[in-house]
Amino acid sequence: MNDPFANEAIAAIAAASELDESTVRQLLTVPPKEEMGEFALPCFTLAKQFRKNPVTIATELAVAIDVGESFAAVEAVGPYVNFKVDRSRFASHVLDQVRSAGSSYGSLDQGAGKTLVVDFSSPNLAKPFSIAHLRSTAIGNAIYRIHRFLGWQCVGINHLGDYGANFGQLLAAYQIWGDPEQVAADPVPELVALYTRFNQELEADPGLQEEARSRLRKLAAGDEEMVSLWRYFIDEGRKEAERVYAILDVHFDDSTGESHYAEALQEVVGAFDGKGLAVESEGALIVDLEEWEMAPCMLRTSNGTSTYHSRDIAALIDRERKYGFDKMVYVTDVRQSLHFRQVFKAVELLGVDWVERCHHAPFGMLSFKGANLSTRKGNMVFLEEVLDQAVELTREIIDEKNPDLEGKEAIARQVGISAVVFADLDSRRTRDVVFEWEEILNFDGETGPYLQYTHARFCSILRRFTQAEGDAAAVIAAADPGLLTEDAELRVVRQLEQYPLRLQQAGDELEPSYLSTYLIELATVANKFYNELPVLSGPGAELVAARVALVDGVRTVLRSGLDLLGMNAPEAM
Ligand code: ARG
C-alpha cells in the first residue's frame, strides 16, 4: 500500500504506537467489507509486545491515533482499528490522478532500466497451430504488454518449433505417401494430415521410426533434398502462424527458430565438457541431474543430433548475451515444467549467476466442452476455426441484441476474438480451462464481452453528454470530483485507485488473471453506480460534471486494461 492516504494512516499509527513505519506498513490491510472503511490495522500480533489483549490495544490506539483531514473516522471494532477516508478528498485525489495521467494512468516506472525477455507462443511448425499455443500466445502477450506499460524494455520471442523429431516424421510421411500437387494446393491441412497419418501408422509399423530418424540425420547433415523440403514445410507453417498472429494482433521482436540453435550443439557440449559435466550414456550425451531428483538433461542423442534441451540451453545463453535480461520468462503448458527445471539446473551447473532471473510461467490445459467444432483432418482442432466460430456466434448475438449496430461485422470480430483471449486469461494461469461457447460469450457473465460492453456503455454515456452539452473534455477537466461521496461512487473510486497496484502484482507474479479479475470488479461496481445513480440527469450541473468525470475515469481504465490483455475495446456494441 503506497498511496498518500495509506501513508498518512501509517505515519499516524506509528506516531501513536511507537511502532516503526515499516512494521505498520506490513500489518495494514484492506478490510473485507466496505462498511469497515478503506484500511484496517489488525492488532493480534501486537499483543505480546504491548502485553495487552488485541481488543484493548485497538480501543486505545483508536483514541490515540491522530489523523489529519484525509480521514473521516478512525474506529476500533473488536481487535481491529478501521480507517475511513474522507470521501471527498479521496475522490478528488484519485480522479485527479486518472485525469492527469489519462491513458497512461497506472503505468509506473517500476521497470525503468530493466529488460524482460518473454518466450511465448512458440508453436511447432510440423503440427497444426494448437489450442495450447493459443493460450501461450494470449498469456505471453499479456505479460509482455503489462511489463511494457510498467516501464520495462520488453523483448518478445517466438521460439518457433522448426526443428526436431517431428520434422523427421513429416519428411518421411511426405516422401512415402505425399502427393506434391495435392500438398501444394492446400499445404497446411495436407501436411497436418500426413503428419497425423505417420503417427497413426507408427503403431502398427514401428519400422517407420527409422524412416523418420534417418531423414532427420540427413537434414542435420545438410542434405540438400531434406533441407529444401524442410524449408518448404516451415515456410508454410510460418505463414499459417502469421495469419493467426494477424487475427490476434500479436507481434514478436524476435522469431529465430529452434533450428538456429541446432548449430550451436558443439558450443553447448563444449561448455559442459569443459566443466566435466557431460557424461556418455547409451551413446547419448547427458548432464546427470540425479542429485536434484530429475531425469538427466540430454545434450546430444545417440544419433549425434541436438535435442530440445540443448537447443534451449543454446538459446538461453544467446539471449543472456544479447539482452542481458533482468527477467526471462517462458510461457508453456505445465507439461514442460520438468523440461525447464532441467534446463535451468544444467545452466546453473555451468556456474552462471543469472539463471535465477529465469522463470517458467506454466499454464493449465484447455479443452472444449461438448466440442462441436468441425475438424478438417484427424481430430485436431484448428485454431483459426475456433476463432471463426467465435466471430460467427458473436455475430448471431449482436443480430439479436442490436441488429442496427453500425459496423456490425468488424465489431463481431473484435468481440468474438477478444472473448476467446479473455477466456484464456480470466482464471489463474495454472488452472485448467474448459471452453464453453455459451459461457465465454455471455454478455452478462464474467466475460470479455461483458467488459467490452461496459466500456462501450460508458463511451456512449460520454457521447450522449457531448451531444447535449458540447465539449465533454472541458467539463471533465473542470469538474469537482470532491462531490462524489455516495456509497456507489466511493466503490468506483476505490476500484480506480487500486489499478496501479493490481497491475504491478500481475506483472510481478506473471499472472494476467489479476488484471482480468480487477477489470471484472471494476465493470461490476461501475455498472452498479450507473444503475443506482442518475448521471446525465443528476441533480445540478456540478454533480453531473463530477459523475461524468467518474464515467470517463472508468472508461479510461477499462480501455487501458483491455488493451493490456490484448483485447479490443470497441466504442459501441
Ligand atoms: N515449441 C514448443 C512446444 O510447442 C514450445 C517452445 C517453448 N519455448 C522454449 N524455449 N522451449 O512444445
Side-chain angles (χ1 to χ4, degrees), residues 290-346:
E290 207 180 333
E291 199 181 328
W292 298 276
E293 296 176 4
M294 283 185 259
C297 175
M298 196 194 285
L299 300 175
R300 194 174 64 203
T301 68
S302 54
N303 278 326
T305 51
S306 67
T307 63
Y308 187 40
H309 281 116
S310 69
R311 293 189 294 273
D312 250 333
I313 292 170
L316 181 52
I317 293 171
D318 183 48
R319 290 167 189 178
E320 205 284 327
R321 262 186 221 143
K322 254 198 208 139
Y323 305 114
F325 50 72
D326 298 277
K327 185 149 79 167
M328 160 84 227
V329 177
Y330 293 89
V331 187
T332 78
D333 72 52
V334 290
R335 294 173 305 179
Q336 296 200 28
S337 296
L338 174 62
H339 170 78
F340 287 107
R341 282 203 294 128
Q342 291 168 317
V343 167
F344 298 162
K345 182 51 83 180

Short mmCIF file of all heavy atoms in Angstrom, two decimals, residues 290-346:
data_model
loop_
_atom_site.label_atom_id
_atom_site.label_comp_id
_atom_site.label_asym_id
_atom_site.label_seq_id
_atom_site.Cartn_x
_atom_site.Cartn_y
_atom_site.Cartn_z
N GLU A 290 20.61 -36.42 -11.16
CA GLU A 290 20.02 -37.30 -10.16
C GLU A 290 20.03 -36.66 -8.77
O GLU A 290 19.07 -36.79 -8.01
CB GLU A 290 20.77 -38.63 -10.13
CG GLU A 290 19.85 -39.74 -9.66
CD GLU A 290 20.54 -41.09 -9.63
OE1 GLU A 290 21.50 -41.29 -10.41
OE2 GLU A 290 20.13 -41.91 -8.80
N GLU A 291 21.09 -35.96 -8.48
CA GLU A 291 21.23 -35.31 -7.18
C GLU A 291 20.03 -34.39 -6.89
O GLU A 291 19.68 -34.15 -5.74
CB GLU A 291 22.52 -34.49 -7.21
CG GLU A 291 23.03 -34.14 -5.84
CD GLU A 291 24.32 -33.31 -5.94
OE1 GLU A 291 25.10 -33.50 -6.90
OE2 GLU A 291 24.51 -32.47 -5.04
N TRP A 292 19.40 -33.88 -7.93
CA TRP A 292 18.24 -32.99 -7.76
C TRP A 292 16.93 -33.71 -8.09
O TRP A 292 15.91 -33.08 -8.36
CB TRP A 292 18.42 -31.73 -8.61
CG TRP A 292 19.63 -30.97 -8.16
CD1 TRP A 292 19.70 -30.08 -7.13
CD2 TRP A 292 20.95 -31.09 -8.67
NE1 TRP A 292 20.98 -29.63 -6.97
CE2 TRP A 292 21.78 -30.23 -7.90
CE3 TRP A 292 21.54 -31.85 -9.69
CZ2 TRP A 292 23.14 -30.11 -8.14
CZ3 TRP A 292 22.89 -31.72 -9.93
CH2 TRP A 292 23.68 -30.86 -9.16
N GLU A 293 17.04 -35.04 -8.12
CA GLU A 293 15.87 -35.89 -8.36
C GLU A 293 15.16 -35.57 -9.67
O GLU A 293 13.93 -35.51 -9.73
CB GLU A 293 14.90 -35.80 -7.17
CG GLU A 293 15.56 -36.37 -5.93
CD GLU A 293 14.71 -36.23 -4.67
OE1 GLU A 293 13.56 -35.77 -4.78
OE2 GLU A 293 15.20 -36.62 -3.61
N MET A 294 15.98 -35.35 -10.68
CA MET A 294 15.40 -35.13 -12.01
C MET A 294 16.04 -36.10 -12.99
O MET A 294 17.19 -36.49 -12.83
CB MET A 294 15.70 -33.71 -12.49
CG MET A 294 14.85 -32.65 -11.88
SD MET A 294 15.23 -31.07 -12.66
CE MET A 294 16.30 -30.34 -11.42
N ALA A 295 15.26 -36.44 -14.03
CA ALA A 295 15.83 -37.22 -15.12
C ALA A 295 16.96 -36.41 -15.75
O ALA A 295 16.98 -35.19 -15.64
CB ALA A 295 14.75 -37.51 -16.14
N PRO A 296 17.89 -37.10 -16.41
CA PRO A 296 19.03 -36.37 -16.99
C PRO A 296 18.60 -35.39 -18.08
O PRO A 296 17.57 -35.57 -18.72
CB PRO A 296 19.91 -37.48 -17.58
CG PRO A 296 19.09 -38.70 -17.62
CD PRO A 296 18.01 -38.55 -16.61
N CYS A 297 19.43 -34.38 -18.25
CA CYS A 297 19.22 -33.41 -19.31
C CYS A 297 20.05 -33.88 -20.50
O CYS A 297 21.28 -33.93 -20.42
CB CYS A 297 19.70 -32.05 -18.79
SG CYS A 297 19.65 -30.74 -20.00
N MET A 298 19.38 -34.24 -21.58
CA MET A 298 20.12 -34.82 -22.71
C MET A 298 20.60 -33.72 -23.65
O MET A 298 19.83 -32.89 -24.10
CB MET A 298 19.25 -35.80 -23.48
CG MET A 298 20.08 -36.70 -24.40
SD MET A 298 19.09 -37.58 -25.61
CE MET A 298 18.35 -38.84 -24.59
N LEU A 299 21.93 -33.74 -23.90
CA LEU A 299 22.50 -32.71 -24.76
C LEU A 299 22.57 -33.15 -26.21
O LEU A 299 22.42 -32.36 -27.13
CB LEU A 299 23.92 -32.36 -24.30
CG LEU A 299 24.07 -31.83 -22.88
CD1 LEU A 299 25.55 -31.66 -22.55
CD2 LEU A 299 23.34 -30.51 -22.71
N ARG A 300 22.83 -34.46 -26.40
CA ARG A 300 23.00 -34.97 -27.77
C ARG A 300 22.44 -36.38 -27.82
O ARG A 300 22.68 -37.17 -26.90
CB ARG A 300 24.50 -34.98 -28.10
CG ARG A 300 24.81 -35.16 -29.57
CD ARG A 300 26.29 -35.01 -29.84
NE ARG A 300 27.04 -36.07 -29.17
CZ ARG A 300 28.33 -36.00 -28.85
NH1 ARG A 300 29.02 -34.91 -29.10
NH2 ARG A 300 28.93 -37.00 -28.24
N THR A 301 21.69 -36.69 -28.86
CA THR A 301 21.10 -38.03 -28.97
C THR A 301 22.17 -39.02 -29.42
O THR A 301 23.26 -38.62 -29.86
CB THR A 301 19.97 -38.08 -30.02
OG1 THR A 301 20.57 -37.89 -31.32
CG2 THR A 301 18.94 -36.98 -29.76
N SER A 302 21.83 -40.30 -29.35
CA SER A 302 22.79 -41.31 -29.81
C SER A 302 23.00 -41.21 -31.32
O SER A 302 23.95 -41.74 -31.87
CB SER A 302 22.31 -42.71 -29.41
OG SER A 302 21.01 -42.90 -29.89
N ASN A 303 22.10 -40.50 -32.00
CA ASN A 303 22.27 -40.23 -33.43
C ASN A 303 23.23 -39.09 -33.69
O ASN A 303 23.50 -38.76 -34.84
CB ASN A 303 20.93 -39.81 -34.05
CG ASN A 303 20.08 -41.00 -34.39
OD1 ASN A 303 20.60 -42.05 -34.76
ND2 ASN A 303 18.79 -40.84 -34.24
N GLY A 304 23.64 -38.44 -32.62
CA GLY A 304 24.55 -37.31 -32.80
C GLY A 304 23.83 -35.99 -33.06
O GLY A 304 24.46 -34.98 -33.35
N THR A 305 22.48 -35.98 -32.97
CA THR A 305 21.75 -34.72 -33.23
C THR A 305 21.49 -33.96 -31.94
O THR A 305 21.56 -34.52 -30.84
CB THR A 305 20.41 -35.00 -33.95
OG1 THR A 305 19.70 -36.00 -33.22
CG2 THR A 305 20.62 -35.47 -35.37
N SER A 306 21.17 -32.69 -32.11
CA SER A 306 20.88 -31.84 -30.95
C SER A 306 19.53 -32.23 -30.36
O SER A 306 18.78 -33.00 -30.96
CB SER A 306 20.85 -30.37 -31.39
OG SER A 306 19.74 -30.15 -32.25
N THR A 307 19.21 -31.72 -29.18
CA THR A 307 17.94 -32.06 -28.52
C THR A 307 17.17 -30.78 -28.17
O THR A 307 17.72 -29.68 -28.23
CB THR A 307 18.21 -32.80 -27.19
OG1 THR A 307 18.90 -31.88 -26.34
CG2 THR A 307 19.02 -34.05 -27.39
N TYR A 308 15.94 -30.99 -27.77
CA TYR A 308 15.12 -29.86 -27.30
C TYR A 308 15.85 -29.14 -26.16
O TYR A 308 15.89 -27.91 -26.09
CB TYR A 308 13.75 -30.39 -26.86
CG TYR A 308 12.72 -29.34 -26.50
CD1 TYR A 308 12.60 -28.16 -27.23
CD2 TYR A 308 11.86 -29.54 -25.41
CE1 TYR A 308 11.64 -27.21 -26.89
CE2 TYR A 308 10.90 -28.59 -25.07
CZ TYR A 308 10.80 -27.43 -25.81
OH TYR A 308 9.85 -26.49 -25.47
N HIS A 309 16.46 -29.95 -25.27
CA HIS A 309 17.24 -29.37 -24.17
C HIS A 309 18.43 -28.55 -24.67
O HIS A 309 18.62 -27.41 -24.26
CB HIS A 309 17.79 -30.48 -23.27
CG HIS A 309 16.77 -31.04 -22.32
ND1 HIS A 309 16.34 -32.33 -22.38
CD2 HIS A 309 16.11 -30.47 -21.29
CE1 HIS A 309 15.44 -32.55 -21.42
NE2 HIS A 309 15.29 -31.43 -20.75
N SER A 310 19.22 -29.16 -25.54
CA SER A 310 20.45 -28.45 -25.93
C SER A 310 20.12 -27.19 -26.71
O SER A 310 20.79 -26.17 -26.59
CB SER A 310 21.40 -29.36 -26.72
OG SER A 310 20.87 -29.67 -27.99
N ARG A 311 19.06 -27.26 -27.52
CA ARG A 311 18.68 -26.06 -28.27
C ARG A 311 18.19 -24.96 -27.33
O ARG A 311 18.48 -23.78 -27.53
CB ARG A 311 17.63 -26.41 -29.33
CG ARG A 311 18.20 -27.32 -30.43
CD ARG A 311 17.23 -27.48 -31.60
NE ARG A 311 16.00 -28.19 -31.26
CZ ARG A 311 15.84 -29.51 -31.28
NH1 ARG A 311 16.87 -30.30 -31.61
NH2 ARG A 311 14.69 -30.07 -30.97
N ASP A 312 17.46 -25.37 -26.30
CA ASP A 312 17.01 -24.36 -25.34
C ASP A 312 18.17 -23.76 -24.55
O ASP A 312 18.18 -22.56 -24.25
CB ASP A 312 15.97 -24.95 -24.37
CG ASP A 312 14.59 -24.38 -24.65
OD1 ASP A 312 14.52 -23.23 -25.15
OD2 ASP A 312 13.59 -25.05 -24.37
N ILE A 313 19.13 -24.60 -24.21
CA ILE A 313 20.30 -24.08 -23.47
C ILE A 313 21.07 -23.09 -24.35
O ILE A 313 21.43 -21.99 -23.91
CB ILE A 313 21.19 -25.25 -22.99
CG1 ILE A 313 20.44 -26.04 -21.91
CG2 ILE A 313 22.53 -24.73 -22.46
CD1 ILE A 313 21.10 -27.35 -21.51
N ALA A 314 21.28 -23.47 -25.61
CA ALA A 314 21.99 -22.57 -26.52
C ALA A 314 21.23 -21.25 -26.66
O ALA A 314 21.82 -20.16 -26.64
CB ALA A 314 22.15 -23.22 -27.90
N ALA A 315 19.90 -21.34 -26.79
CA ALA A 315 19.09 -20.14 -26.97
C ALA A 315 19.16 -19.25 -25.73
O ALA A 315 19.29 -18.03 -25.82
CB ALA A 315 17.65 -20.52 -27.26
N LEU A 316 19.12 -19.89 -24.57
CA LEU A 316 19.13 -19.12 -23.32
C LEU A 316 20.45 -18.35 -23.16
O LEU A 316 20.46 -17.16 -22.82
CB LEU A 316 18.88 -20.07 -22.13
CG LEU A 316 18.84 -19.45 -20.74
CD1 LEU A 316 17.88 -18.27 -20.67
CD2 LEU A 316 18.44 -20.51 -19.71
N ILE A 317 21.55 -19.04 -23.43
CA ILE A 317 22.86 -18.40 -23.31
C ILE A 317 22.96 -17.23 -24.30
O ILE A 317 23.42 -16.14 -23.97
CB ILE A 317 24.00 -19.43 -23.53
CG1 ILE A 317 23.99 -20.45 -22.37
CG2 ILE A 317 25.35 -18.76 -23.67
CD1 ILE A 317 24.91 -21.64 -22.55
N ASP A 318 22.45 -17.47 -25.49
CA ASP A 318 22.45 -16.44 -26.52
C ASP A 318 21.63 -15.22 -26.09
O ASP A 318 22.04 -14.07 -26.26
CB ASP A 318 21.87 -17.05 -27.79
CG ASP A 318 21.90 -16.09 -28.96
OD1 ASP A 318 22.96 -15.48 -29.20
OD2 ASP A 318 20.85 -15.93 -29.63
N ARG A 319 20.48 -15.47 -25.52
CA ARG A 319 19.60 -14.36 -25.10
C ARG A 319 20.24 -13.55 -23.97
O ARG A 319 20.11 -12.33 -23.93
CB ARG A 319 18.25 -14.91 -24.63
CG ARG A 319 17.45 -15.46 -25.79
CD ARG A 319 16.28 -16.28 -25.31
NE ARG A 319 15.65 -16.97 -26.44
CZ ARG A 319 14.63 -17.80 -26.33
NH1 ARG A 319 14.11 -18.07 -25.14
NH2 ARG A 319 14.11 -18.38 -27.39
N GLU A 320 20.89 -14.27 -23.08
CA GLU A 320 21.53 -13.54 -21.98
C GLU A 320 22.61 -12.62 -22.53
O GLU A 320 22.74 -11.47 -22.13
CB GLU A 320 22.10 -14.54 -20.96
CG GLU A 320 22.23 -13.97 -19.56
CD GLU A 320 23.41 -13.04 -19.41
OE1 GLU A 320 24.44 -13.27 -20.09
OE2 GLU A 320 23.33 -12.07 -18.62
N ARG A 321 23.37 -13.15 -23.49
CA ARG A 321 24.43 -12.34 -24.10
C ARG A 321 23.85 -11.14 -24.83
O ARG A 321 24.36 -10.03 -24.73
CB ARG A 321 25.18 -13.20 -25.13
CG ARG A 321 26.45 -13.79 -24.58
CD ARG A 321 27.20 -14.50 -25.72
NE ARG A 321 27.73 -15.76 -25.21
CZ ARG A 321 27.80 -16.89 -25.90
NH1 ARG A 321 27.34 -16.94 -27.15
NH2 ARG A 321 28.31 -17.96 -25.37
N LYS A 322 22.80 -11.40 -25.57
CA LYS A 322 22.22 -10.35 -26.42
C LYS A 322 21.51 -9.28 -25.61
O LYS A 322 21.61 -8.11 -25.89
CB LYS A 322 21.19 -10.98 -27.35
CG LYS A 322 21.64 -11.12 -28.77
CD LYS A 322 20.41 -11.33 -29.66
CE LYS A 322 20.76 -12.12 -30.88
NZ LYS A 322 19.79 -13.13 -31.25
N TYR A 323 20.72 -9.72 -24.65
CA TYR A 323 19.80 -8.77 -23.99
C TYR A 323 20.17 -8.47 -22.54
O TYR A 323 19.62 -7.54 -21.96
CB TYR A 323 18.36 -9.30 -24.04
CG TYR A 323 17.90 -9.63 -25.44
CD1 TYR A 323 17.62 -10.93 -25.81
CD2 TYR A 323 17.76 -8.61 -26.39
CE1 TYR A 323 17.21 -11.23 -27.11
CE2 TYR A 323 17.35 -8.90 -27.68
CZ TYR A 323 17.07 -10.22 -28.03
OH TYR A 323 16.67 -10.51 -29.31
N GLY A 324 21.03 -9.27 -21.94
CA GLY A 324 21.38 -9.06 -20.53
C GLY A 324 20.13 -8.86 -19.68
O GLY A 324 20.03 -7.91 -18.93
N PHE A 325 19.17 -9.77 -19.84
CA PHE A 325 17.85 -9.57 -19.23
C PHE A 325 17.85 -9.52 -17.71
O PHE A 325 18.73 -10.06 -17.05
CB PHE A 325 16.89 -10.68 -19.69
CG PHE A 325 17.44 -12.08 -19.53
CD1 PHE A 325 17.57 -12.67 -18.29
CD2 PHE A 325 17.83 -12.81 -20.66
CE1 PHE A 325 18.07 -13.96 -18.15
CE2 PHE A 325 18.34 -14.11 -20.52
CZ PHE A 325 18.45 -14.68 -19.27
N ASP A 326 16.84 -8.84 -17.16
CA ASP A 326 16.61 -8.85 -15.72
C ASP A 326 15.58 -9.90 -15.37
O ASP A 326 15.47 -10.32 -14.22
CB ASP A 326 16.09 -7.48 -15.28
CG ASP A 326 17.12 -6.41 -15.56
OD1 ASP A 326 18.02 -6.25 -14.73
OD2 ASP A 326 17.08 -5.79 -16.64
N LYS A 327 14.81 -10.29 -16.38
CA LYS A 327 13.80 -11.33 -16.15
C LYS A 327 13.59 -12.04 -17.47
O LYS A 327 13.42 -11.38 -18.51
CB LYS A 327 12.51 -10.66 -15.66
CG LYS A 327 11.39 -11.58 -15.27
CD LYS A 327 10.51 -11.00 -14.15
CE LYS A 327 9.51 -9.98 -14.57
NZ LYS A 327 8.49 -9.65 -13.57
N MET A 328 13.63 -13.36 -17.43
CA MET A 328 13.41 -14.15 -18.65
C MET A 328 12.28 -15.11 -18.35
O MET A 328 12.34 -15.87 -17.38
CB MET A 328 14.71 -14.87 -18.99
CG MET A 328 14.59 -16.08 -19.90
SD MET A 328 14.55 -15.62 -21.65
CE MET A 328 13.17 -16.62 -22.18
N VAL A 329 11.22 -15.08 -19.14
CA VAL A 329 10.02 -15.87 -18.84
C VAL A 329 9.66 -16.79 -20.01
O VAL A 329 9.64 -16.33 -21.16
CB VAL A 329 8.82 -14.94 -18.56
CG1 VAL A 329 7.55 -15.74 -18.31
CG2 VAL A 329 9.11 -14.04 -17.36
N TYR A 330 9.40 -18.04 -19.69
CA TYR A 330 8.92 -18.99 -20.70
C TYR A 330 7.46 -19.29 -20.43
O TYR A 330 7.10 -19.65 -19.31
CB TYR A 330 9.68 -20.31 -20.58
CG TYR A 330 11.14 -20.21 -20.95
CD1 TYR A 330 12.10 -19.88 -19.99
CD2 TYR A 330 11.57 -20.46 -22.25
CE1 TYR A 330 13.44 -19.81 -20.31
CE2 TYR A 330 12.92 -20.39 -22.59
CZ TYR A 330 13.84 -20.06 -21.62
OH TYR A 330 15.16 -19.99 -21.95
N VAL A 331 6.64 -19.17 -21.44
CA VAL A 331 5.21 -19.44 -21.26
C VAL A 331 4.83 -20.71 -22.04
O VAL A 331 4.71 -20.68 -23.27
CB VAL A 331 4.37 -18.25 -21.74
CG1 VAL A 331 2.90 -18.48 -21.40
CG2 VAL A 331 4.85 -16.95 -21.12
N THR A 332 4.68 -21.80 -21.33
CA THR A 332 4.22 -23.05 -21.98
C THR A 332 3.27 -23.76 -21.01
O THR A 332 3.15 -23.38 -19.85
CB THR A 332 5.36 -24.05 -22.27
OG1 THR A 332 5.71 -24.72 -21.05
CG2 THR A 332 6.58 -23.37 -22.85
N ASP A 333 2.64 -24.83 -21.50
CA ASP A 333 1.76 -25.56 -20.58
C ASP A 333 2.56 -26.33 -19.52
O ASP A 333 3.78 -26.49 -19.65
CB ASP A 333 0.77 -26.44 -21.35
CG ASP A 333 1.40 -27.65 -21.99
OD1 ASP A 333 2.11 -28.40 -21.29
OD2 ASP A 333 1.18 -27.87 -23.20
N VAL A 334 1.86 -26.77 -18.50
CA VAL A 334 2.52 -27.37 -17.33
C VAL A 334 3.32 -28.62 -17.66
O VAL A 334 4.22 -28.98 -16.91
CB VAL A 334 1.51 -27.75 -16.21
CG1 VAL A 334 0.93 -26.53 -15.57
CG2 VAL A 334 0.40 -28.64 -16.75
N ARG A 335 3.00 -29.25 -18.77
CA ARG A 335 3.73 -30.48 -19.07
C ARG A 335 5.20 -30.24 -19.34
O ARG A 335 5.99 -31.17 -19.37
CB ARG A 335 3.08 -31.19 -20.26
CG ARG A 335 1.67 -31.70 -19.94
CD ARG A 335 1.01 -32.24 -21.17
NE ARG A 335 1.02 -31.21 -22.22
CZ ARG A 335 0.52 -31.39 -23.44
NH1 ARG A 335 -0.01 -32.55 -23.77
NH2 ARG A 335 0.55 -30.42 -24.33
N GLN A 336 5.58 -28.99 -19.53
CA GLN A 336 7.00 -28.72 -19.78
C GLN A 336 7.74 -28.23 -18.53
O GLN A 336 8.88 -27.77 -18.62
CB GLN A 336 7.14 -27.70 -20.91
CG GLN A 336 6.62 -28.27 -22.22
CD GLN A 336 7.14 -27.54 -23.45
OE1 GLN A 336 8.23 -26.98 -23.45
NE2 GLN A 336 6.37 -27.59 -24.52
N SER A 337 7.09 -28.36 -17.38
CA SER A 337 7.74 -27.86 -16.16
C SER A 337 9.08 -28.55 -15.90
O SER A 337 10.07 -27.90 -15.56
CB SER A 337 6.83 -28.05 -14.95
OG SER A 337 5.67 -27.26 -15.14
N LEU A 338 9.09 -29.87 -16.06
CA LEU A 338 10.34 -30.60 -15.82
C LEU A 338 11.42 -30.14 -16.81
O LEU A 338 12.56 -29.90 -16.42
CB LEU A 338 10.10 -32.11 -15.94
CG LEU A 338 11.38 -32.96 -15.85
CD1 LEU A 338 12.07 -32.80 -14.50
CD2 LEU A 338 11.06 -34.44 -16.11
N HIS A 339 11.02 -30.00 -18.05
CA HIS A 339 11.98 -29.55 -19.07
C HIS A 339 12.71 -28.28 -18.63
O HIS A 339 13.93 -28.20 -18.69
CB HIS A 339 11.27 -29.33 -20.41
CG HIS A 339 12.11 -28.64 -21.45
ND1 HIS A 339 13.08 -29.31 -22.16
CD2 HIS A 339 12.17 -27.34 -21.85
CE1 HIS A 339 13.69 -28.45 -22.98
NE2 HIS A 339 13.15 -27.25 -22.80
N PHE A 340 11.94 -27.31 -18.17
CA PHE A 340 12.59 -26.04 -17.80
C PHE A 340 13.39 -26.14 -16.51
O PHE A 340 14.42 -25.52 -16.37
CB PHE A 340 11.57 -24.89 -17.78
CG PHE A 340 11.16 -24.51 -19.16
CD1 PHE A 340 9.90 -24.83 -19.65
CD2 PHE A 340 12.06 -23.87 -20.00
CE1 PHE A 340 9.54 -24.51 -20.96
CE2 PHE A 340 11.71 -23.54 -21.31
CZ PHE A 340 10.45 -23.87 -21.78
N ARG A 341 12.92 -26.99 -15.59
CA ARG A 341 13.74 -27.17 -14.39
C ARG A 341 15.08 -27.78 -14.77
O ARG A 341 16.13 -27.42 -14.22
CB ARG A 341 12.99 -28.06 -13.38
CG ARG A 341 11.90 -27.28 -12.63
CD ARG A 341 11.56 -27.96 -11.31
NE ARG A 341 10.95 -29.26 -11.53
CZ ARG A 341 11.34 -30.39 -10.97
NH1 ARG A 341 12.34 -30.40 -10.11
NH2 ARG A 341 10.72 -31.52 -11.24
N GLN A 342 15.05 -28.72 -15.70
CA GLN A 342 16.29 -29.35 -16.14
C GLN A 342 17.20 -28.33 -16.84
O GLN A 342 18.41 -28.27 -16.55
CB GLN A 342 15.97 -30.50 -17.12
CG GLN A 342 15.29 -31.68 -16.46
CD GLN A 342 14.72 -32.64 -17.50
OE1 GLN A 342 14.13 -32.24 -18.49
NE2 GLN A 342 14.92 -33.94 -17.26
N VAL A 343 16.62 -27.53 -17.71
CA VAL A 343 17.42 -26.54 -18.43
C VAL A 343 18.05 -25.55 -17.44
O VAL A 343 19.25 -25.27 -17.48
CB VAL A 343 16.55 -25.79 -19.47
CG1 VAL A 343 17.27 -24.56 -20.00
CG2 VAL A 343 16.19 -26.73 -20.62
N PHE A 344 17.24 -25.06 -16.50
CA PHE A 344 17.76 -24.07 -15.54
C PHE A 344 18.86 -24.68 -14.67
O PHE A 344 19.88 -24.05 -14.40
CB PHE A 344 16.65 -23.49 -14.66
CG PHE A 344 15.56 -22.76 -15.42
CD1 PHE A 344 14.32 -22.51 -14.82
CD2 PHE A 344 15.76 -22.31 -16.72
CE1 PHE A 344 13.32 -21.83 -15.51
CE2 PHE A 344 14.76 -21.63 -17.43
CZ PHE A 344 13.53 -21.40 -16.82
N LYS A 345 18.62 -25.91 -14.22
CA LYS A 345 19.62 -26.54 -13.36
C LYS A 345 20.92 -26.77 -14.13
O LYS A 345 22.02 -26.48 -13.64
CB LYS A 345 19.07 -27.88 -12.80
CG LYS A 345 19.99 -28.62 -11.86
CD LYS A 345 20.53 -27.76 -10.73
CE LYS A 345 19.57 -27.64 -9.57
NZ LYS A 345 20.14 -26.78 -8.48
N ALA A 346 20.81 -27.27 -15.35
CA ALA A 346 22.01 -27.54 -16.15
C ALA A 346 22.81 -26.25 -16.34
O ALA A 346 24.03 -26.23 -16.17
CB ALA A 346 21.63 -28.16 -17.49
#
